[in-house]
Amino acid sequence: MVEQQLPGQCYRVSRTPHTPSRQTPTDSGKTRGGGLCIYINNAWCMNSTTTESHCSPNAEFLMVKCRPYYLPRELTSIILTAVYIPPDANARLAMKELSAAINKHQNKHPEAAFIVAGDFNHTNLKTVLPRFHQHVSCHTRGDKTLDHVYSNLAGAYKATPLPHIGQSDHLSLFLTPRYSPLIQRVKPAVRTIKVWPEGTDAVLQDRFKNTDWNMFTNTDLDQYASSVLDYISETTDSVTTQKRITMYPNQKPWMNRDVRLLLKARNTAFRSGDAHAYSTARANLKKGIKKAKHHYKKKVEEHFSNSNPRRMWQGLQTITDYRTTKPSPASSDVSFLNELNNFFARFERGNPTTKTDMTPDHQPLTLSPTDVGAVLSRINVHKAAGPDGIPGRVLRACSGELAGVLTDIFNLSLAHAVVPVCFKSTSIVPIPKNSNPSSLNDYRPVALTPIIAKCLEQLVLAHFKFCLPPHLDPHQFAYRQNRSTEDAVSIALHSVLSHLDNNNTYARMLFIDFSSAFNTIHPSQLIRKLTDLGISSLICKWLLDFLTNRPQHVRLDNRCSSTITMNTGVPQGCVMSPFLYSLFTHDCRPADGSNTIIKFADDTTVIGLISDNDEAAYREEVDRLAEWCDTNNLLLNTEKTKELIVDYRRNADPHPPIHIKGTAVERVSSFKFLGVHISEDLTWTTNCSKLVKKAHQRLFFLRTLRKNHLSSDILVNFYRCTIESILTNCITVWYGNCSASDRKALQRVVKTAQRIAGAPLPAIKDIYRKRCLKRAGKIIRDPSHPSHGLFTLLPSGRRYRSLRTRTTRYRNSFFPTAVRLLNSAS
């Protein structure tokens, strides 16, 4: 026996019962072999318990939970698992039994280290637990590696082979720890934060209220605006303080100032040698930690008791200890930032800025302090400040005091058609798209503009929308009231399905992809189109000044690149940019009635309805679109442009590919169109499976909230926001034509969530009916909606005229179904 060769009382043994009564056909099915034991060194750990033991014909394992004397703070315990898989075991069932036990303990101890070791023979734990790491790379029996050691820590151990023990035919393995605690692997993060003392908002309001803003008045608008912004920034800095805080990677989230003071008091009492003071300090520290954890729990629960999705996700990340990986740029050197700035400005070609003549009879847009104050009071205080450094909190808290001077600046800017340079300045923060960025294209530019300038943009944008006709570009579904991706997909499919109801027909759908569409627009071309739409020349001149001569630099930490002046594109990060792009593309319309162009921002889809194999109109439409893009300086990305053909004819001829500028477009069998997976046979199995898979991932968070004893109301609210919203994404488009198996798969997710939440949840079918009626009602009340004409009342005025359908797939689509539901509800 092994214990006979070890010093007495140095080890304690945890073992599975290995007696003849256990080895029966109902247990392991063996009369010899197998059996497991785990030896724990007393010098390493005295606190260990057997948590689970299992014996079956396919697997034997023993799980022991240990709390060693020393353990890195990020780990709460170590769970050791000894495993034996017989050579003739069913590998799939063995791994299923073992993974179920490990998953159960991982849910119970999410911050524990798991070490799984033993004779696995022909099985591999990574097939069921892919996030576990195998540490044995040497042969353990002959030329085979039968003995494995897995853990949930990457690079935790190095395995070294040693001679056999006793009569064993397996080599022994010595594991050398290579795990470094988190505090050693990750440097503490030092952040500089702005501290807002109590009553700061009131102090700022008082100072701005008593400020004589007339002393900043200047005939030079740039100097006037910059001096006001500098004063607001300096005043804010004078009442706030900068504080450097150190964030340790293994710091507990409930740690606060009171607990730190109690820790210092305990350490001081220990060094003093006063036993009574030390005992009292320890008791106070224990109470303080308990109180801090209680307050932290209440704080987390508050995240789920309101309708703020941002705070809800913060609470969820806190409960699950979810840490996002935030890759940093390869370098913060100024030369690298200059390279990034030049790359982000690669579409800049020094476009000439054409002057727009100002007609005398055009009155300038005049804003009132009430309008400006209302916009300031709605500022999102969580948004990052722009290059001027003025936080949204100051503008929102002091909206009444700042409205007057900002109104004066805004009106002067609109009257003279000049935008202050400090309003146009853009600071770009490069965010890596992946964990290992290797090229400049691996960085995403996040543009920060002054918050005050965004407020001015909102007011001008409201004026734009008021001046434009409601029926302008009806098939542009982005940035408009009562328009959504659901409308775009519904109308696209309606045109296809209604056409396929006829004989000898098919449809071709071309999904266009543009390269950096927003960054290639010439402002002068945009101004000419706005003038043709009847926008006043004064506003057009102001807008041209807003889009040109824009200073841009790249900022990372405290370093900035040199400044580049931009004259091309509508800057991303500005409020008006998306709407201006939609106006720029309003003249992109089909020339033939058999074609349809569906637009959602820069996502453009050309639908060709083909009859009797005549594709001439469709191919001409694609050629015209390519010419339109060349004229308007938009770059077509042919490699990412895809085509999907819907053809139900049995003896259809092969379809020749479509070419754009001599390059053939790839044909696909399925495409993700505005979040909905469309297949060439218009079945929805692919779409439903994607939704179910994503919803199952969110169920993990729901189980985590349940395990943390949150109330059923909070669980239901979380389900409605994060799981139901996934399952019902564009549900009116696809649910009517779903197969029975797809509907059952969707409903199973609802039933699972219902068991977890402990409260009734609405069925998917009921949600579908409700959404159809709601969507139809909004379309009926909106005469400018492109689908409004599909809902026509009968002469009685009580019921709607049914759409004539021949096929089931068309009959079950959204618009015919909505008409039937409206008539049944009347």
Side-chain angles (χ1 to χ4, degrees):
M1 297 293 292
V2 176
E3 56 262 30
Q4 294 176 353
Q5 304 176 23
L6 300 175
Q9 304 301 322
C10 287
Y11 291 82
R12 291 172 293 109
V13 184
S14 298
R15 68 172 74 212
T16 55
H18 190 55
T19 61
S21 61
R22 176 134 179 123
Q23 302 299 328
T24 63
T26 58
D27 294 327
S28 67
K30 303 186 299 293
T31 58
R32 58 178 295 177
L36 300 166
C37 62
I38 297 177
Y39 289 82
I40 307 293
N41 193 326
N42 290 341
W44 179 68
C45 175
M46 288 288 291
N47 182 9
S48 62
T49 56
T50 301
T51 59
E52 187 168 345
S53 61
H54 176 84
C55 186
S56 73
N58 296 306
E60 296 181 38
F61 55 83
L62 171 67
M63 307 185 76
V64 177
K65 178 186 175 186
C66 307
R67 187 66 171 87
Y69 298 120
Y70 171 76
L71 194 64
R73 181 179 291 181
E74 64 268 19
L75 303 176
T76 56
S77 60
I78 295 179
I79 297 181
L80 305 172
T81 305
V83 180
Y84 173 67
I85 307 295
D88 58 347
N90 185 314
R92 184 180 63 83
L93 295 178
M95 290 299 96
K96 182 179 180 181
E97 295 171 3
L98 180 58
S99 63
I102 295 176
N103 286 330
K104 182 179 71 173
H105 284 76
Q106 279 189 312
N107 290 334
K108 190 175 181 181
H109 309 285
E111 295 183 348
F114 285 78
I115 302 174
V116 186
D119 185 357
F120 280 80
N121 277 304
H122 57 290
T123 59
N124 188 339
L125 186 63
K126 289 181 71 66
T127 59
V128 289
L129 296 175
R131 293 194 176 184
F132 273 59
H133 307 272
Q134 216 281 87
H135 304 291
V136 180
S137 57
C138 58
H139 299 313
T140 60
R141 184 187 180 191
D143 60 348
K144 297 180 179 180
T145 303
L146 303 180
D147 301 278
H148 299 172
V149 177
Y150 298 90
S151 75
N152 59 342
L153 306 173
Y157 292 98
K158 178 183 179 182
T160 304
L162 294 178
H164 309 75
I165 293 181
Q167 301 298 317
S168 174
D169 57 351
H170 291 250
L171 292 177
S172 301
L173 293 172
F174 182 77
L175 299 176
T176 305
R178 303 183 68 180
Y179 177 78
S180 298
L182 189 61
I183 190 67
Q184 297 178 9
R185 287 185 284 120
V186 182
K187 294 182 179 180
V190 179
R191 294 176 53 195
T192 302
I193 62 172
K194 189 184 291 290
V195 180
W196 299 79
E198 186 177 356
T200 300
D201 292 347
V203 174
L204 287 173
Q205 291 170 359
D206 183 66
R207 291 195 180 184
F208 291 143
K209 183 178 181 179
N210 295 314
T211 298
D212 182 12
W213 297 105
N214 292 325
M215 64 180 179
F216 298 103
T217 304
N218 195 301
T219 55
D220 187 345
L221 184 59
D222 279 335
Q223 186 173 349
Y224 181 17
S226 61
S227 61
V228 170
L229 266 59
D230 290 341
Y231 174 74
I232 295 174
S233 180
E234 292 174 2
T235 305
T236 303
D237 293 339
S238 67
V239 298
T240 58
T241 57
Q242 300 286 339
K243 182 179 179 181
R244 292 170 61 88
I245 60 173
T246 303
M247 304 291 294
Y248 295 95
N250 58 354
Q251 182 171 303
K252 298 299 181 183
W254 45 262
M255 181 68 69
N256 56 27
R257 182 174 179 272
D258 295 337
V259 175
R260 293 191 185 94
L261 293 177
L262 292 172
L263 277 169
K264 291 182 180 179
R266 184 204 62 179
N267 296 339
T268 302
F270 174 77
R271 289 191 294 267
S272 68
D274 188 341
H276 178 72
Y278 178 59
S279 177
T280 303
R282 288 187 62 191
N284 292 337
L285 176 60
K286 185 177 180 180
K287 294 179 181 177
I289 292 176
K290 185 177 180 180
K291 183 179 179 181
K293 288 183 177 180
H294 177 74
H295 285 314
Y296 181 71
K297 180 175 180 293
K298 292 292 185 183
K299 179 182 178 181
V300 170
E301 288 181 350
E302 289 177 358
H303 286 73
F304 300 91
S305 59
N306 55 47
S307 58
N308 189 333
R310 179 176 182 272
R311 288 179 58 83
M312 183 191 70
W313 278 111
Q314 286 178 345
L316 182 63
Q317 291 177 356
T318 301
I319 288 178
T320 58
D321 195 26
Y322 175 75
R323 296 183 178 92
T324 57
T325 56
K326 296 181 179 180
S328 58
S331 172
S332 60
D333 186 70
V334 175
S335 60
F336 175 70
L337 299 183
N338 287 333
E339 290 181 21
L340 276 176
N341 199 20
N342 290 327
F343 176 76
F344 295 150
R346 63 190 182 277
F347 298 105
E348 174 61 32
R349 294 293 182 268
N351 298 304
T353 58
T354 58
K355 298 296 182 180
T356 304
D357 296 331
M358 185 169 53
T359 308
D361 58 351
H362 279 136
Q363 295 296 323
L365 172 63
T366 303
L367 306 175
S368 67
T370 304
D371 297 333
V372 176
V375 173
L376 294 175
S377 63
R378 294 193 299 266
I379 290 176
N380 186 348
V381 297
H382 299 293
K383 295 293 185 180
D388 56 2
I390 300 178
R393 173 175 175 173
V394 174
L395 300 174
R396 180 170 179 171
C398 305
S399 58
E401 290 74 20
L402 297 175
V405 63
L406 294 181
T407 301
D408 188 43
I409 295 175
F410 291 173
N411 285 330
L412 286 174
S413 172
L414 294 169
H416 294 87
V418 175
V419 181
V421 176
C422 57
F423 282 13
K424 297 190 289 185
S425 179
T426 302
S427 180
I428 295 180
V429 179
I431 304 296
K433 298 178 182 178
N434 51 58
S435 57
N436 295 309
S438 57
S439 64
L440 297 177
N441 198 34
D442 290 336
Y443 293 93
R444 178 178 291 106
V446 177
L448 300 178
T449 56
I451 298 178
I452 292 178
K454 291 182 179 179
C455 294
L456 175 57
E457 288 183 73
Q458 291 182 31
L459 295 167
V460 176
L461 179 61
H463 175 72
F464 263 115
K465 292 182 177 180
F466 176 78
C467 295
L468 294 172
H471 294 279
L472 178 68
D473 198 4
H475 285 130
Q476 172 61 266
F477 293 90
Y479 322 119
R480 295 194 173 187
Q481 189 176 7
N482 197 27
R483 304 291 190 277
S484 65
T485 57
E486 198 166 11
D487 292 300
V489 180
S490 296
I491 291 179
L493 290 179
H494 174 74
S495 63
V496 171
L497 290 172
S498 60
H499 178 69
L500 294 177
D501 248 19
N502 303 315
N503 295 325
N504 198 23
T505 58
Y506 62 96
R508 302 187 70 149
M509 304 178 71
L510 184 67
F511 303 99
I512 302 292
D513 184 85
F514 294 110
S515 296
S516 300
F518 280 59
N519 297 328
T520 59
I521 293 177
H522 287 177
S524 55
Q525 286 182 298
L526 173 62
I527 297 304
R528 284 196 293 269
K529 293 187 179 185
L530 293 180
T531 303
D532 294 339
L533 289 174
I535 303 298
S536 69
S537 58
L538 188 57
I539 289 293
C540 288
K541 186 178 180 181
W542 179 91
L543 187 60
L544 182 63
D545 189 79
F546 175 77
L547 295 176
T548 54
N549 298 318
R550 300 184 62 90
Q552 171 185 299
H553 67 270
V554 175
R555 175 174 60 84
L556 185 61
D557 297 330
N558 295 323
R559 299 189 178 186
C560 294
S561 69
S562 56
T563 301
I564 295 178
T565 301
M566 301 292 296
N567 291 292
T568 303
V570 287
Q572 299 190 45
C574 292
V575 175
M576 291 193 300
S577 296
F579 187 75
L580 291 177
Y581 178 84
S582 67
L583 295 181
F584 184 76
T585 59
H586 82 279
D587 57 343
C588 179
R589 302 189 187 96
D592 192 277
S594 63
N595 301 316
T596 305
I597 297 181
I598 303 293
K599 292 175 284 187
F600 193 91
D602 59 341
D603 290 320
T604 303
T605 304
V606 180
I607 302 174
L609 306 179
I610 315 299
S611 300
D612 301 326
N613 293 322
D614 184 7
E615 297 183 352
Y618 171 68
R619 293 181 178 275
E620 290 175 2
E621 193 69 61
V622 175
D623 292 338
R624 276 192 295 268
L625 178 63
E627 294 176 2
W628 181 90
C629 291
D630 291 339
T631 304
N632 290 274
N633 200 42
L634 292 179
L635 304 179
L636 277 172
N637 190 340
T638 312
E639 293 183 359
K640 292 185 178 181
T641 298
K642 309 296 179 185
E643 186 183 36
L644 185 142
I645 301 177
V646 184
D647 191 352
Y648 290 109
R649 298 176 301 171
R650 294 182 179 180
N651 301 317
D653 297 330
H655 298 284
I658 192 76
H659 289 78
I660 298 179
K661 297 182 179 179
T663 304
V665 176
E666 180 187 358
R667 178 183 173 182
V668 295
S669 59
S670 178
F671 187 81
K672 188 177 182 181
F673 176 41
L674 299 179
V676 179
H677 292 268
I678 298 180
S679 301
E680 60 183 357
D681 57 357
L682 295 186
T683 57
W684 300 101
T685 300
T686 301
N687 183 70
C688 291
S689 61
K690 296 287 185 181
L691 297 179
V692 169
K693 181 180 179 180
K694 191 173 182 180
H696 273 297
Q697 294 172 347
R698 299 287 178 91
L699 285 175
F700 163 76
F701 298 108
L702 188 66
R703 291 188 179 97
T704 304
L705 298 179
R706 177 68 175 179
K707 188 172 61 178
N708 283 270
H709 310 292
L710 270 69
S711 66
S712 293
D713 293 339
I714 292 178
L715 296 180
V716 171
N717 184 37
F718 178 82
Y719 164 80
R720 299 294 297 271
C721 295
T722 62
I723 300 177
E724 184 182 277
S725 60
I726 292 174
L727 294 175
T728 60
N729 178 44
C730 294
I731 190 173
T732 61
V733 173
W734 48 264
Y735 188 81
N737 280 307
C738 273
S739 64
S741 59
D742 291 337
R743 296 188 182 191
K744 288 180 181 179
L746 294 167
Q747 192 59 33
R748 276 196 295 269
V749 178
V750 179
K751 291 181 179 179
T752 302
Q754 189 168 272
R755 287 195 299 269
I756 298 172
L761 299 173
I764 297 294
K765 184 177 181 180
D766 296 336
I767 296 175
Y768 167 68
R769 293 172 57 89
K770 184 178 179 180
R771 294 275 181 89
C772 284
L773 290 171
K774 184 178 180 180
R775 185 77 238 146
K778 288 186 176 180
I779 294 174
I780 292 171
R781 292 189 294 270
D782 184 1
S784 65
H785 199 283
S787 304
H788 180 77
L790 296 175
F791 298 90
T792 57
L793 284 170
L794 291 171
S796 64
R798 298 179 180 178
R799 296 169 61 87
Y800 291 90
R801 189 180 303 278
S802 298
L803 300 179
R804 184 172 299 176
T805 61
R806 292 178 53 199
T807 58
T808 303
R809 58 178 173 265
Y810 182 30
R811 188 180 305 113
N812 292 334
S813 63
F814 168 62
F815 292 106
T817 301
V819 172
R820 290 197 305 271
L821 291 175
L822 288 170
N823 290 335
S824 62
S826 60

